[in-house]
Amino acid sequence: MRQAIACAKFAEEEGEVPIGAIVAYQDEVIGAGWNQPIGRHDPTAHAEVVALRDAAARVENYRLPDTTLYVTLEPCPMCAGAMMHARVKRLVFGALDPKRGAAGSIVNLLTADQGFNHIIEVEAGVLADECGERLRAFFRARR
């Protein structure tokens, strides 16, 4: 999670919402990303999607089985869907997202009771205070 937090700092330095993500396979980082929708003019350039794209390019496969995605904020529905399509095994996130969270806050798209053919293990709240405070400070400064 510390590496995802470091990625969030890159986003903040670029004027983006400070969310960072990494993809790990066997304790090795194979993908990294941070929010970039403003700079890339791309509404899909969320930290998770950027990290998944980076990992897929590195391993030359759109499937990322047996990987863990670490992200500083609970994923939105788009990012949860991208993780399912990539066959990510496990999600670890920091702060809850009470407005768009798709891993338990608003909906939980990653559980077996949704009927999808791929289920992702979820661990929530890792370094949640640190992850959440970075976001709160960012938005306080912008107001």
Side-chain angles (χ1 to χ4, degrees):
M1 185 60 78
R2 292 271 177 223
Q3 292 179 46
I5 291 170
C7 288
K9 291 176 186 177
F10 291 129
E12 189 168 15
E13 290 168 2
E14 294 175 2
E16 303 274 1
V17 176
I19 301 169
I22 63 159
V23 177
Y25 176 73
Q26 296 181 348
D27 296 325
E28 180 181 331
V29 175
I30 61 168
W34 53 91
N35 260 21
Q36 300 175 52
I38 298 167
R40 288 189 179 189
H41 310 287
D42 178 357
T44 69
H46 290 196
E48 301 94 307
V49 172
V50 174
L52 289 169
R53 288 175 180 162
D54 186 38
R58 287 185 195 203
V59 301
E60 298 180 336
N61 192 343
Y62 73 108
R63 298 281 197 224
L64 301 169
D66 299 319
T67 59
T68 300
L69 189 143
Y70 296 84
V71 63
T72 57
L73 182 67
E74 179 181 3
C76 71
M78 175 187 69
C79 294
M83 286 184 275
M84 283 189 284
H85 283 287
R87 303 299 193 262
V88 169
K89 180 178 183 175
R90 184 169 170 249
L91 164 67
V92 178
F93 71 87
L96 294 171
D97 186 345
K99 294 183 179 178
R100 288 173 221 69
S105 288
I106 300 297
V107 296
N108 193 343
L109 298 178
L110 306 176
T111 61
D113 62 340
Q114 297 302 316
F116 295 113
N117 67 335
H118 182 73
I119 308 305
I120 297 175
E121 300 167 23
V122 177
E123 183 178 348
V126 175
L127 300 176
D129 291 340
E130 185 175 344
C131 294
E133 182 51 37
R134 176 170 298 282
L135 286 160
R136 286 187 292 278
F138 175 81
F139 286 113
R140 269 194 309 270
R142 305 219 6 133
R143 291 185 187 128

